[in-house]
């Protein structure tokens, strides 16, 4: 699709270009078409021009209709200018995963890549290794080019990765997609990944990474309707930095806006895209909506009345590309035209957006005659031996040794000749929604067998029950065909191999069935109410997971089978949730209640626990591989309600531990798990995320000590879900969330991870004991490998501000460094700490502040394993008492009860709102020495009737200084000023505003 003519480079290039142009002019005058060989080479195709000049040239040549067409995810070709189609959004979270095909039938079908699959993002976060992550990103960017070279219609070079949403709540269904609960660690890992994807060329991009999902998107329940209430300190100190790191380092080329609302305003059309994100870089960004986000504005969120209003607001907010309506761009185009005609948009708004889009396309080399420096990459790079080696290295570094009592690990292949490898994840590898297809598989069993070699013996069992189901009424057994599989029928008169069903327990009563006839998983054939059940799937999969069931006790040893579907049935699937057998024996969903469901006898063919015990008995060590199924135990659109290991899997671990004291648990999942019994009773525990094709090699590498584990947990592992507040509570300061504020005793602390060697820390040293607020200090510590094995320690630096006007984190990660040491080797680790990085957001003056204070500097092996401390005195400033005599934003409170933050207007600004009687906000240490006499507030109240705001001193029930009446304004965005007299306000006081009912408070002042 690129033009064939390069600009001539010889001294006579202008003369040679002039002749064909004269020919073109002459032919045009004669009314004849110019031959292709005489067509103009446009300035925008000249790579020697500046990026701005090229963008301006192309922008000036596009018609308005052509510009508007570029605002949809599927940008069309513009043949008259030699411009190829362009598609945003190849998924590349931990390897090239999937994209969609505009030319498929129907259009927009998902196409899954067979690619190098790295550990899930939470596993990559556990490496604490930015250098490794840059290499991983380089592979992903290179393979993106390879796929693009094969089929650019499918594999676009704008990559929707990485996810930098913070892992604030481990019950989040998408926990596997993020790196860490900590913004600093997330920023370091994502920046490295983005740089790797982009490549090292100063001018061109290998591929264009886009950060997901801005902002505070950490729940799936009602994700397009819930609002993340972010007080300014939480937004500035916690959520924004995770995105700022890669953008400010020019390691990402844009952001994807999230589904949720932020303080009552949909992220899709949030002004932060311009007002905040673009302040972090001088480079042009190309921002996108999440899939369907624009339609949510007028549908589920009901925020705008028309698509024209919503899309206009989105574009003006700084979001350039609309991911909506699959491949059908017409609704977007029509709405933008309508917005222009209604005066909601100006053509300059279109030009601004298209300029940003084109800037990234130019940096990808698309408009260069030779395609730029990365255009020679071909599909041959995918799944290369080099990429396989890196995948294995990454999987090994991502593994975290949680416990190792009495030197249970590493195993010794020369002595441990008989190993049992059991458990439901021992003989399989699972992919997730954002994973490519594995080009090959090395399971944990494969890895152990290969490592132990011919001189050892490996016994194995998946430790799952095999059952046969018999229709009680007819006496017929459920039967599955072999080969490729097909519909299940209750037709057999006896039980054999074709009637065997392996039951995999995923917790909370949910299980999957695998047919013994062909090793395929049983699920619904399609989404229709009359769908049958077939054994045709390699693993549970799809947006609506069709392979989930529950056995319900029907009494008398009989069961009914409830289809668990994709968590809950969808309306369009019909009312029936229970399995019935038709007259011809076919299994369908034929009953809405258990009463009308077919009753089955569940005959046990073999018991998983017994098989596991048999394999483990007498073995030198028993490795039990348990964990999660990524399409079932939480994922996009589905949060977890607990963090427990599946009940049946717990029983396997307990039984094997009774049978073999040398039991090792390998926990393979995507989130912190409440394995309290295992921690107390099992000698060794190794955690890994689902780590791709090399999972089995990596596990064996660590188990046998070929790789000394150096992974560290990127988030806190709690003992119980009761340690956590509601998943929708986003105020980490008030709710004591994450390691920064959590005051309890975690099961495993943030940063935890063991090694096969030991490390001793010397006394920390500072280059200076004090520093000015614009200065920096070097923190040094000697680290010595005091064990007998070479290994890597991750030295972690935390700080705590001892005194402050505001509540400070108990600890906050400020730096880390991996150091690899031979036995007996000592090395000095140095980290630079800038005083400016110790700033926090001062809500009294709306700015960052470095306070004068002492800081406790802590160096150690985890947030809980601190090996040395030093004190740093920072010469900063003192936050003065609050001046409430000037207009004070209500959202800049110091504390609150019951309120939510809401949108002040649809364009920008936040207010305090959704208040009930007795809710309050606190403004600490206010200077009332001028004895204010008047309280003025800017308020809105949509509902009928009046309410009030009380001004109280010292506490929410303290001295009443005044009460202001708040009348209805009839609209949540119709603000008016209300006033009231104030008496008895003097000195320095904590001022409380106590609400009498539902209202919105934008700002207020206490004046003379």
């Amino acid at each position: 699709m690129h033009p064939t003519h390069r600009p001539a480079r010889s001294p006579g290039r202008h003369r040679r270009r002039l002749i064909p142009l004269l020919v073109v002019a002459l032919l045009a005058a004669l009314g004849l078409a110019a031959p292709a060989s005489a067509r103009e080479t446009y300035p925008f195709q000249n790579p020697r021009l500046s990026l701005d000049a090229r963008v301006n040239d192309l922008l000036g040549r596009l018609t308005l209709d052509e510009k508007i067409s570029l605002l949809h995810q599927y940008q069309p070709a513009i043949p008259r200018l030699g411009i190829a189609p362009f598609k945003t959004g190849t998924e590349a979270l931990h390897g090239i995963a999937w994209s969609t095909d505009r030319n498929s039938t129907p259009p927009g079908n998902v196409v899954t890549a067979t690619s190098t699959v790295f550990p899930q993002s939470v596993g990559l976060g556990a490496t604490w290794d930015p250098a490794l992550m840059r290499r991983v990103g380089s592979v992903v960017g290179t393979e993106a080019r390879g796929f693009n070279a094969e089929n650019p219609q499918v594999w676009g070079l704008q990559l929707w990765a990485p996810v930098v949403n913070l892992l604030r709540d481990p019950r989040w269904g998408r926990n596997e997609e993020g790196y860490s609960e900590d913004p600093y660690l997330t920023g370091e890992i994502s920046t490295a990944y983005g740089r790797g994807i982009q490549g090292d060329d100063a001018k061109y991009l290998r591929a264009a990474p886009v950060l997901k999902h801005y902002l505070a998107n950490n729940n799936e329940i009602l994700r397009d309707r819930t609002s993340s209430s972010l007080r300014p300190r939480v937004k500035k100190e916690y959520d924004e930095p995770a995105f700022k790191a890669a953008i400010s380092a020019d390691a990402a080329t844009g952001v994807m806006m999230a589904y949720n609302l932020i303080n009552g305003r949909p992220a899709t059309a949030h002004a932060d895209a311009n007002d905040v994100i673009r302040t972090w870089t001088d480079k042009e960004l190309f921002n996108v909506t999440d899939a369907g986000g624009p339609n949510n504005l007028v549908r589920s969120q009901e925020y705008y009345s028309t698509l024209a209003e919503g899309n206009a607001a989105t574009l003006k907010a700084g979001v350039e590309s609309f991911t909506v309506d699959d491949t059908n761009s017409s609704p977007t185009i029509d709405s933008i035209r309508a917005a222009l005609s209604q005066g909601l948009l100006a053509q300059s708004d279109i030009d601004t957006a298209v300029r940003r889009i084109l800037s990234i396309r130019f940096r990808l080399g698309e408009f260069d005659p030779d395609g730029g420096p990365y255009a020679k990459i071909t599909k041959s790079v995918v799944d290369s031996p080099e990429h396989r080696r890196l995948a294995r290295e990454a999987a090994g570094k991502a593994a975290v040794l949680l416990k190792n009592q009495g030197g249970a690990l590493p195993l010794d292949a020369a002595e441990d000749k008989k190993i049992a490898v059991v458990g439901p994840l021992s003989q399989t590898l699972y992919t997730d929604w954002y994973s490519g297809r594995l080009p090959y598989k090395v399971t944990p069993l494969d890895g152990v067998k290969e490592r132990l070699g011919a001189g050892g013996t490996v016994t194995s069992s998946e430790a799952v029950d095999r059952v046969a189901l018999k229709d009680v009424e007819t006496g017929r057994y459920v039967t599955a065909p072999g080969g490729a599989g097909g519909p299940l029928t209750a037709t057999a008169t006896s039980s054999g191999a074709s009637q065997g069903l392996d039951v995999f327990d995923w917790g909370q009563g949910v299980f999957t069935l695998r047919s013994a006839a062909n090793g395929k998983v049983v699920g619904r054939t399609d989404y229709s109410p009359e769908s049958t059940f077939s054994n045709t799937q390699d693993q549970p999969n799809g947006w609506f997971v069709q392979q989930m069931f529950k056995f319900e006790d029907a009494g008398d040893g009989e069961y009914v089978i409830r289809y668990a579907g994709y968590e809950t049935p969808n309306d369009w699937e019909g009312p029936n949730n229970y399995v019935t057998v038709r007259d011809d024996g076919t299994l369908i969903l034929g009953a809405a209640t258990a009463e009308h469901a077919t009753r089955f006898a569940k005959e046990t063919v073999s018991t998983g626990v017994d098989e596991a015990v048999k394999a483990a008995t007498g073995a030198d060590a028993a490795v039990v591989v348990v964990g999660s199924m990524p399409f079932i135990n939480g994922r996009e659109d589905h949060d977890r309600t607990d963090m427990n290991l599946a009940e049946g899997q717990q029983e396997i671990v307990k039984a094997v531990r009774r049978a073999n004291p040398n039991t090792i648990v390998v926990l393979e999942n995507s989130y912190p798990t409440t394995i309290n019994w295992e921690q107390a009773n099992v000698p060794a525990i190794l955690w890994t995320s689902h780590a791709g094709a090399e999972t089995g090699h990596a596990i064996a590498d660590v188990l046998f000590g070929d790789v000394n584990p150096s992974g560290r947990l990127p988030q806190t592992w709690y003992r119980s879900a009761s340690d956590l507040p509601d998943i929708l509570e986003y105020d980490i300061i008030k709710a004591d969330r994450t390691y920064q504020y959590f005051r309890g005793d975690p099961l495993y602390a943030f940063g935890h991870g063991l090694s096969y060697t030991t490390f001793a820390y010397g006394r920390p040293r500072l280059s200076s004991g004090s520093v000015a607020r614009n200065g920096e200090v070097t923190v040094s510590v000697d680290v010595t490998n005091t064990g007998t094995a070479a290994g890597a320690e991750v030295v972690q630096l935390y700080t705590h501000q001892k005194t402050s006007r505001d509540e400070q984190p108990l600890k906050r990660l400020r730096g880390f460094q991996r150091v690899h040491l031979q036995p007996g080797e000592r090395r000095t680790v140095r980290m630079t700490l800038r005083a400016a990085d110790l700033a926090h957001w001062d809500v009294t003056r709306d700015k960052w502040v470095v306070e004068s204070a002492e800081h406790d500097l802590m160096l150690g092996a985890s947030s809980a394993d601190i090996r040395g401390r030093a004190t740093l005195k920072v010469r900063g400033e003192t936050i003065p008492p609050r001046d409430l005599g000037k207009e004070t934003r209500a959202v800049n409170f110091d504390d609150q009860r019951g309120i939510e933050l809401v949108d002040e207007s649809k364009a920008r600004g936040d207010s305090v709102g959704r208040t009930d009687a007795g809710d309050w906000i606190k403004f600490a240490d206010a200077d009332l020495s001028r004895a204010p006499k008047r309280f003025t507030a800017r308020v809105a109240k949509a509902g009928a009737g009046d309410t009030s705001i009380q001004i109280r001193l010292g506490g929410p029930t303290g001295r009443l200084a005044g009460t202001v009446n708040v009348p209805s304004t009839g609209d949540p965005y119709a603000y008016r000023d209300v006033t009231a007299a104030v008496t008895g306000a003097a000195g320095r006081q904590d001022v409380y505003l106590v609400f009498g009912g539902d209202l919105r408070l934008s700002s207020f002042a206490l004046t003379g």
Side-chain angles (χ1 to χ4, degrees):
M1 297 296 289
H2 296 290
T4 56
H5 280 25
R6 295 172 181 268
R9 300 180 182 276
S10 66
R13 62 187 181 274
H14 299 298
R15 289 194 300 272
R16 291 204 298 271
R17 287 189 63 197
L18 180 60
I19 292 170
L21 290 175
L22 291 173
V23 172
V24 170
L26 178 60
L27 291 171
L30 296 173
L32 301 174
S37 60
R39 287 177 185 160
E40 177 182 4
T41 299
Y42 299 109
F44 74 80
Q45 295 165 329
N46 185 352
R48 290 172 298 179
L49 296 178
S50 70
L51 177 60
D52 284 345
R54 298 179 74 188
V55 171
N56 287 338
D57 179 70
L58 178 52
L59 188 65
R61 296 178 186 279
L62 295 172
T63 68
L64 178 59
D65 284 345
E66 288 169 341
K67 292 173 185 177
I68 294 172
S69 74
L70 300 180
L71 301 178
H72 190 262
Q73 177 186 20
Y74 290 90
Q75 300 176 27
I78 304 176
R80 69 181 186 87
L81 296 174
I83 296 175
F86 184 88
K87 176 192 170 294
T88 69
T90 293
E91 299 292 354
L93 192 57
H94 51 112
I96 300 301
W98 55 267
S99 188
T100 52
D101 184 1
R102 75 170 82 209
N103 296 320
S104 64
T105 304
N109 278 351
V110 170
V111 181
T112 302
T114 300
S115 62
T116 303
V117 179
F118 292 96
Q120 292 174 307
S121 293
V122 68
L124 292 172
T127 68
W128 290 59
D129 193 339
L132 172 72
M133 282 300 298
R134 188 162 185 169
R135 292 162 59 205
V136 170
S138 179
V139 167
V140 174
T142 299
E143 293 200 355
R145 279 282 175 175
F147 281 104
N148 177 260
E150 179 186 59
N151 189 344
Q153 296 287 324
V154 173
W155 304 105
L157 291 173
Q158 189 198 57
L159 308 186
W160 287 350
V163 169
V164 297
N165 295 109
L166 296 167
L167 306 183
R168 168 196 66 102
D169 193 308
R171 295 168 299 192
W172 185 35
R174 303 181 76 169
N175 196 84
E176 66 200 36
E177 296 183 36
Y179 293 126
S180 172
E181 70 183 44
D182 180 75
Y184 178 80
L185 178 58
T186 294
E188 291 292 298
I189 295 294
S190 60
T191 298
Y193 190 61
R195 282 177 172 157
I197 286 172
Q198 291 183 178
D200 299 324
D201 194 284
K203 183 177 178 182
Y204 291 94
L205 298 165
R206 179 162 42 206
V210 171
L211 306 180
K212 300 197 292 188
H213 313 79
Y214 189 92
L215 182 73
N217 175 205
N218 191 228
N219 63 274
E220 296 303 293
I221 180 172
L222 302 175
R223 61 180 178 166
D224 60 329
R225 284 164 280 176
T226 55
S227 177
S228 302
S229 192
L230 298 182
R231 62 197 276 193
R233 280 196 63 197
V234 173
K235 186 173 186 282
K236 294 292 184 182
E237 297 175 24
Y238 187 66
D239 287 285
E240 283 184 10
F243 287 82
K244 183 179 180 180
I247 295 292
S248 62
D250 293 327
T253 60
V255 302
M256 174 185 282
M257 307 306 283
Y259 284 125
N260 57 285
L261 297 88
I262 306 166
N263 295 348
R265 182 178 298 105
T268 299
H270 203 287
D272 272 10
N274 273 334
D275 296 354
V276 175
I277 298 167
R278 284 195 162 89
T279 67
W280 297 334
T281 180
D282 294 329
K283 294 282 184 70
E284 285 282 24
L285 300 176
F286 175 4
N287 298 328
V288 303
T289 74
D290 206 338
N295 285 345
N296 291 342
L297 292 172
V298 298
R299 295 178 185 172
S300 62
Q301 293 165 346
E302 298 181 343
Y303 199 74
Y304 291 101
S305 299
T306 67
L307 200 57
E309 293 176 280
N311 285 355
T314 300
L315 206 65
K316 291 177 77 70
V319 184
E320 287 73 53
S321 184
F322 295 80
T323 313
V324 67
D325 300 314
D326 297 320
T327 61
N328 181 14
S329 60
S330 295
T332 297
I333 291 170
D334 292 344
S335 68
I336 295 297
R337 287 174 177 161
L340 284 166
S341 67
Q342 295 167 28
L344 301 172
L345 287 173
Q347 186 169 334
S348 60
D349 296 317
I350 309 297
D351 287 348
T352 297
V354 174
R355 182 185 305 278
R356 292 164 175 168
I357 292 168
L358 293 177
S359 70
I360 300 303
R361 291 181 64 173
F362 271 104
R363 292 178 66 195
L364 289 167
E366 179 183 348
F367 303 120
D368 284 23
D370 63 356
Y374 297 109
K376 293 181 176 63
I377 297 173
T378 67
K379 182 70 178 299
S380 64
V381 301
V382 175
D383 187 37
S384 68
E386 178 187 359
H387 294 180
R388 289 186 176 195
R389 287 191 293 271
L390 183 61
R392 182 170 181 169
E393 178 186 347
K397 285 187 173 180
V400 181
L401 185 60
L402 298 176
K403 180 182 180 182
N404 192 22
Q405 181 179 335
L409 290 175
L411 299 173
D412 186 342
E415 295 184 5
D416 300 315
K417 294 287 190 179
K418 183 179 181 182
I419 307 293
V421 181
V422 301
L425 278 78
S426 64
Q427 298 180 31
T428 190
L429 297 181
Y430 290 123
T431 56
D432 60 50
W433 178 249
Y434 287 102
S435 168
R437 184 180 294 108
L438 302 180
Y440 60 97
K441 294 182 180 181
V442 182
T443 68
L445 177 61
D446 295 334
V448 172
K449 280 185 174 179
E450 180 181 322
R451 180 59 180 84
L452 201 58
T457 301
V458 177
T459 56
S460 63
S461 168
E462 287 183 292
V464 296
D465 293 346
R466 176 165 292 181
V467 303
L469 298 175
K470 183 172 67 174
D471 181 341
V472 173
E473 183 178 350
T474 65
R476 303 282 180 170
Y477 287 88
V478 173
T479 303
L488 271 62
T489 57
T491 54
T493 57
S494 61
S495 174
S498 295
Q499 287 69 47
L501 296 168
D502 296 328
V503 183
F504 286 79
D505 180 5
W506 301 114
Q508 296 181 294
V510 173
F511 62 87
T512 54
L513 298 172
R514 187 185 62 194
S515 169
N518 65 352
K520 300 288 188 180
V521 177
V522 173
R524 292 180 70 188
T525 307
D526 55 48
Y527 298 144
S528 68
E530 293 298 312
S531 172
T532 59
F533 291 91
S534 299
N535 57 331
T536 57
Q537 301 297 313
D538 291 331
Q539 69 165 53
N541 64 88
W543 181 258
F544 297 102
V545 183
Q546 303 285 302
Q547 299 88 11
M548 298 157 59
F549 304 91
K550 289 187 176 183
F551 286 127
E552 292 185 1
D553 190 346
D556 300 324
E558 297 170 1
Y559 297 87
V560 294
I561 302 174
R562 185 166 73 83
Y563 168 65
Y566 177 64
E567 295 81 58
T568 56
N570 296 284
D571 292 341
W572 41 263
E573 291 185 281
N576 296 334
N577 302 325
Y578 288 88
V579 174
T580 61
V581 178
R582 291 196 303 208
D583 291 342
D584 64 358
T586 306
L587 273 63
I588 64 166
L589 284 184
T593 64
E595 180 184 3
H596 297 99
T598 296
R599 292 190 170 211
F600 293 95
K602 186 171 61 170
E603 298 180 358
T604 301
V605 178
S606 60
T607 303
V609 167
D610 292 344
E611 295 293 327
V613 168
K614 180 180 178 181
T617 301
D620 296 318
V623 178
V624 188
V625 189
V626 292
S628 70
M629 201 289 129
F631 280 81
I632 293 176
N633 296 110
R635 47 145 287 192
E636 186 168 356
D637 209 32
H638 173 47
D639 292 316
R640 282 172 290 278
T641 56
D642 70 22
M643 297 174 289
N644 298 329
L645 188 62
E647 299 85 350
Q649 296 187 31
Q650 292 179 34
E651 291 306 311
I652 295 166
V653 173
K654 292 177 179 179
V656 172
R657 176 64 181 85
R658 289 191 296 268
N660 191 320
N662 300 320
T663 293
I664 300 148
V665 167
V666 175
L667 180 60
E668 187 181 334
N669 69 4
S670 320
Y671 51 90
T673 311
T674 50
I675 49 170
N676 299 299
W677 186 94
E678 289 76 10
Q679 169 60 24
N681 293 281
V682 174
I685 305 172
L686 180 71
W687 174 78
T688 176
S689 70
H690 297 278
E694 289 288 344
T695 299
H697 277 150
I699 288 172
D701 288 343
V702 173
L703 291 179
F704 286 92
D706 301 318
V707 169
N708 192 341
S710 60
R712 301 293 184 263
L713 292 179
Q715 61 187 134
T716 306
W717 286 42
Y718 299 93
R719 294 183 181 275
S720 168
S722 64
D723 289 334
L724 296 166
D726 187 272
I727 195 170
L728 297 178
E729 174 56 78
Y730 275 80
D731 189 343
I732 68 165
I733 300 174
K734 189 171 183 64
D736 294 339
R737 273 194 184 275
T738 81
Y739 81 93
Q740 291 189 26
Y741 294 96
F742 182 60
R743 299 178 186 278
D745 177 28
L747 181 62
Y748 305 114
F750 173 80
H752 171 74
L754 304 177
S755 171
Y756 293 149
T757 190
T758 54
F759 299 95
Y761 285 63
R763 185 175 180 180
R765 306 182 298 277
L766 305 182
S767 58
S768 175
S770 66
V771 65
R773 63 185 176 185
N774 60 349
E776 62 182 37
V777 63
T778 300
V779 184
S780 304
V781 65
D782 293 334
V783 180
T784 305
N785 183 340
T786 54
T788 59
E793 173 70 319
V794 180
V795 181
Q796 301 165 38
L797 171 63
Y798 298 87
T799 68
H800 170 67
Q801 185 172 327
K802 294 181 178 180
T803 58
S804 175
R805 178 197 181 278
D806 302 307
E807 182 177 355
Q808 293 295 323
L810 304 173
K811 292 185 183 75
R812 183 161 180 178
L813 182 69
R814 301 295 186 179
F816 63 90
Q817 192 174 128
R818 290 178 63 93
V819 54
H820 191 276
L821 300 172
Q822 297 297 319
E825 183 181 2
R826 182 177 67 187
R827 190 176 303 172
T828 301
V829 174
R830 295 181 178 85
M831 287 180 263
T832 299
L833 179 66
R834 300 190 318 147
D837 292 335
L838 301 175
H840 74 278
W841 189 254
D842 176 16
V843 294
T844 72
R845 294 172 295 172
D846 265 330
K847 71 172 190 175
W848 292 101
V849 60
V850 178
E851 288 184 284
S852 292
E854 286 190 345
H855 291 256
D856 188 12
L857 273 55
M858 297 162 276
L859 283 157
S862 80
S863 61
D865 186 6
I866 301 302
R867 305 292 184 87
R869 298 174 182 265
T871 299
L872 176 67
K873 185 175 182 179
V874 177
R875 302 187 304 277
E877 61 178 304
T878 299
I879 298 175
R882 270 191 184 270
D883 180 6
L884 299 182
K886 60 183 181 182
E887 184 181 32
T888 299
R889 301 292 300 173
V891 296
N892 284 331
F893 54 77
D894 290 290
D895 196 7
Q896 58 86 20
R897 189 190 71 183
I899 64 97
E900 288 185 43
L901 299 185
V902 296
D903 50 336
E904 182 178 21
S905 74
K906 290 194 172 184
R908 51 178 50 83
D910 300 328
S911 291
V912 169
R914 293 181 185 158
T915 56
D916 292 328
D919 291 347
W920 50 261
I921 51 178
K922 172 186 176 182
F923 297 84
D925 191 28
D927 183 359
L928 305 180
S929 59
R930 296 180 182 177
K933 303 299 183 183
R934 181 170 296 278
F935 175 78
T936 303
R938 188 160 182 78
V939 297
K941 185 177 185 296
D946 293 0
T947 187
S948 64
I949 302 173
Q950 294 180 342
I951 303 96
R952 291 187 176 270
L953 306 178
T957 59
R959 185 179 181 280
L960 180 63
T963 301
V964 65
N965 185 65
V966 178
S968 173
T969 64
D971 187 287
Y973 305 115
Y975 286 85
R976 62 172 290 182
D977 291 336
V978 293
T979 62
V982 172
T983 60
R988 288 173 67 167
Q989 298 269 7
D990 292 344
V991 175
Y992 287 75
L993 303 183
V994 184
F995 302 104
D998 189 28
L999 55 81
R1000 293 185 177 210
L1001 174 63
S1002 168
S1003 61
F1004 70 95
L1006 286 165
T1007 60

